Amino acid sequence: MDKITLSGMQFFGNHGVFPEENKLGQRFNVDVELMLPLNQAGRTDELEHTINYAEVFYIVKEIVEGRTYKLIEALSENIASELLQTYTNIIEVTVRVIKPHPPFPVLFNGVTVEINRKRATE
């Protein structure tokens, strides 16, 4: 399957279980992998046969910055669901949300949630 990947998107959101996370907010990194057929786009060189990744960026931005989630699992799920609903040519989507600075008194490279969702077949 062909794939379009948007990686390293950075947004500021107020997600987390702790009240200070909801109040102060923090940076989140998001990657999405969109599996869809790209052969027609490759042959025609027409945007209508693929996904406009600028639109995808703004959809993800709106979800990450638009409301507060306690869990980045829920944030990831909503991103995947919206992308599958918006673009009928996406067959499968993987969403990776990275919380680079979780509120723990230890040093590590953050917490990542990765989900994979497929379009339901009739």
Side-chain angles (χ1 to χ4, degrees), residues 74-90:
L75 174 61
S76 302
E77 188 69 39
N78 278 281
I79 292 168
S81 178
E82 184 65 30
L83 292 174
L84 285 169
Q85 183 178 340
T86 301
Y87 300 101
T88 58
N89 55 342
I90 295 175

Side-chain angles (χ1 to χ4, degrees), residues 42-54:
R43 286 193 307 270
T44 65
D45 196 27
E46 294 295 332
L47 182 59
E48 66 193 45
H49 298 132
T50 187
I51 297 291
N52 182 333
Y53 47 83

